Amino acid sequence: NIEPLEKITDAYLDQYLWYESDKRHLFPNWIKPADSEPPPLLVYKWCQGINNLEDIWDVEENGESVVLLQTQFEKMYEKIDLTLLNRLLRLIVDHNIADYMTAKNNVSISFKDMMHTNGYGLIRGLQFSSFIVQFYGLVLDLLVLGLTRASEIAGLPQRPNEYLTYADIETEMSHPIRLYTR
């Protein structure tokens, strides 16, 4: 059983984390869904983003082609390493909050005569789990894209790019990954 005071604390922490991440623009434009776009508008923007790419449909030269790749991070929720998560969370929140968030997942669970000590992956049902998954997903995005391309897609901190747009055509065409959304 989780005590009501713990549930209230976790709910407050969840709201605080999402408020601060939104205020500080922690999550870049490629992370969807976002509050700024309902799903029908997101589909429209995705189609517009593809069509607005420079020379995207000019594939006749040199045997080039356009590739749309869809994949998923399988069971990411269950594969989060708590030690690494703690180190990553300490980069963006106070160490006490990071310790609290990882300690809530590093617990012993008992049911009747069975007992399990969780040391790997997230416990389902914690209020702030959605923030942890989104943040860990951002780290995986940076590993997939590389820091240079990720910063080119996101734009400058003073002037972030809109969804699926770039500051200039040279930046857009400088890398094989032209669009990215998670």
Side-chain angles (χ1 to χ4, degrees), residues 97-116:
I97 295 174
D99 290 344
Y100 176 79
M101 292 170 74
T102 52
K104 290 287 278 192
N105 288 289
N106 192 13
V107 295
S108 294
I109 302 169
S110 60
F111 178 73
K112 295 185 180 178
D113 63 342
M114 299 175 286
M115 188 160 187
H116 169 72

Side-chain angles (χ1 to χ4, degrees), residues 32-68:
K32 300 296 175 196
D35 292 338
S36 58
E37 295 119 359
L41 180 60
L42 182 59
V43 170
Y44 174 76
K45 284 186 173 185
W46 173 254
C47 295
Q48 287 297 105
I50 292 172
N51 281 325
N52 290 338
L53 287 174
E54 188 71 21
D55 297 332
I56 191 68
W57 304 119
D58 295 340
V59 295
E60 295 175 14
E61 301 173 15
N62 304 326
E64 295 176 355
S65 62
V66 176
V67 177
L68 176 63

Side-chain angles (χ1 to χ4, degrees), residues 68-80:
L68 176 63
L69 175 69
Q70 178 180 346
T71 186
Q72 57 187 348
F73 296 125
E74 295 219 0
K75 298 183 180 178
M76 179 176 70
Y77 208 86
E78 299 169 6
K79 296 179 180 177
I80 294 176

